[in-house]
Amino acid sequence: MRVKCIVSYDGSKFHGFQVQNKERTVQGEIQKALKKINEEDVIIHASGRTDAKVHAVHQVFHFDTQKQLPPQQWKRAINHFMPNDIYILDACYVDEDFHSRYSAVKKEYRYLLSTKEYSPFETNYIFQYGKELDIELMRDAAKIFLGEHNFASFCSYDQYGNTIRTLYSFDISEENGIITFRLIGNGFRRYMVRHLVGGIIQVGAKRISKEILSEMLESCGEKKCLFKAKPQGLYLQEVYYEEN
């Protein structure tokens, strides 16, 4: 049987989502818990990977199991073995043709930035920029990324990876000195959100123009964006499927 789970985690003390030797990862912690429940190794398949120090509000993963438990019992059982920076929000049985990654139709990321005085309590959760940014300049520049583009200039290089993606929305809002960048697309390459936000921050700081970002985008990888926002302010907010 296939079980779909929604998980939330604080990425501050993780070396990313994907299992790595000798490093603490989200996948590693979940698979250790599932081994105790199933009494055998279980591999989970996630909707995507997050990097070190990146958080998730609603990340999705699935796994196959022979063990039969009521759906909510899966939630309670996994959480029983979870550390306090990971929490399973929901668990349910799904059809065997469901795949947490390949069945996803959209993903939403949010990035939080503070223009206020430095806060040691927020430093792992909000990028402590500490200076004013021009919101209207950033909103105007963000429009160039909407639609389908080759985002090779705004993600890490992968000679085998397809860098064509569709960005449905790129909204920027500000409240009480906290700027929220909200991006929804059909998929994101590694570091893509952080490079897009990083480039927009440079526009807001009036260090580069919208036209320079546009030239990078149109170069399809020949001109790389060297501005990458810090991981601490990034959240995987939601993964959307047809039933959403």
Side-chain angles (χ1 to χ4, degrees):
M1 294 180 293
R2 183 158 293 184
V3 181
K4 171 191 173 185
C5 295
I6 299 175
V7 60
S8 180
Y9 53 85
D10 176 344
S12 304
K13 297 178 181 178
F14 289 104
H15 203 77
F17 186 90
Q18 189 179 21
V19 165
Q20 298 182 45
N21 289 335
K22 299 179 181 179
E23 300 287 359
R24 185 174 187 253
T25 67
V26 179
Q27 182 180 7
E29 293 292 339
I30 296 171
Q31 288 181 175
K32 282 194 294 185
L34 287 172
K35 185 174 182 178
K36 293 175 182 177
I37 299 167
N38 284 267
E39 299 176 349
E40 61 181 8
D41 288 329
V42 176
I43 304 297
I44 69 171
H45 303 273
S47 57
R49 305 167 186 171
T50 50
D51 296 314
K53 302 185 185 303
V54 174
H55 314 291
V57 178
H58 292 101
Q59 167 69 297
V60 178
F61 68 88
H62 78 264
F63 62 92
D64 294 330
T65 179
Q66 300 290 335
K67 197 173 187 69
Q68 297 188 31
L69 293 175
Q72 287 306 303
Q73 185 62 29
W74 276 113
K75 174 182 174 178
R76 289 191 290 270
I78 301 172
N79 280 328
H80 178 74
F81 295 107
M82 284 291 95
N84 61 8
D85 45 7
I86 306 178
Y87 185 75
I88 304 298
L89 295 165
D90 189 36
C92 64
Y93 288 109
V94 290
D95 294 335
E96 289 184 5
D97 60 354
F98 171 85
H99 194 286
S100 56
R101 178 182 176 189
Y102 300 119
S103 299
V105 294
K106 292 189 297 185
K107 292 180 182 177
E108 177 180 343
Y109 280 89
R110 295 190 187 184
Y111 192 91
L112 303 181
L113 176 150
S114 173
T115 59
K116 301 184 292 185
E117 189 170 3
Y118 177 82
S119 167
F121 303 108
E122 297 178 341
T123 190
N124 289 326
Y125 309 103
I126 303 175
F127 175 28
Q128 302 292 300
Y129 188 74
K131 297 183 286 290
E132 292 298 317
L133 292 169
D134 191 315
I135 298 291
E136 292 307 317
L137 275 181
M138 294 194 296
R139 285 174 177 160
D140 184 52
K143 295 175 184 176
I144 69 174
F145 297 117
L146 297 179
E148 183 179 270
H149 300 282
N150 184 338
F151 286 97
S153 297
F154 294 88
C155 56
S156 60
Y157 176 72
D158 179 357
Q159 67 184 70
Y160 302 109
N162 177 9
T163 52
I164 296 175
R165 295 289 186 274
T166 300
L167 196 62
Y168 302 117
S169 62
F170 192 161
D171 300 322
I172 302 170
S173 60
E174 189 271 338
E175 185 175 2
N176 298 325
I178 303 298
I179 298 176
T180 301
F181 302 81
R182 179 173 177 259
L183 298 86
I184 300 178
N186 65 351
F188 296 89
R189 299 291 302 176
R190 189 176 190 192
Y191 299 142
M192 181 173 155
V193 175
R194 290 169 60 191
H195 277 300
L196 290 175
V197 172
I200 292 294
I201 290 171
Q202 294 299 308
V203 172
K206 301 180 180 178
R207 295 194 183 99
I208 65 172
S209 66
K210 175 180 74 172
E211 288 70 28
I212 290 176
L213 279 188
S214 185
E215 289 174 8
M216 291 179 190
L217 182 64
E218 292 171 5
S219 77
C220 298
E222 291 185 13
K223 298 179 180 179
K224 299 290 286 187
C225 178
L226 302 179
F227 314 110
K228 184 167 66 174
K230 292 185 177 182
Q232 287 89 339
L234 183 58
Y235 295 76
L236 173 56
Q237 182 71 26
E238 195 71 65
V239 184
Y240 296 93
Y241 299 90
E242 289 294 349
E243 65 266 26
N244 293 134

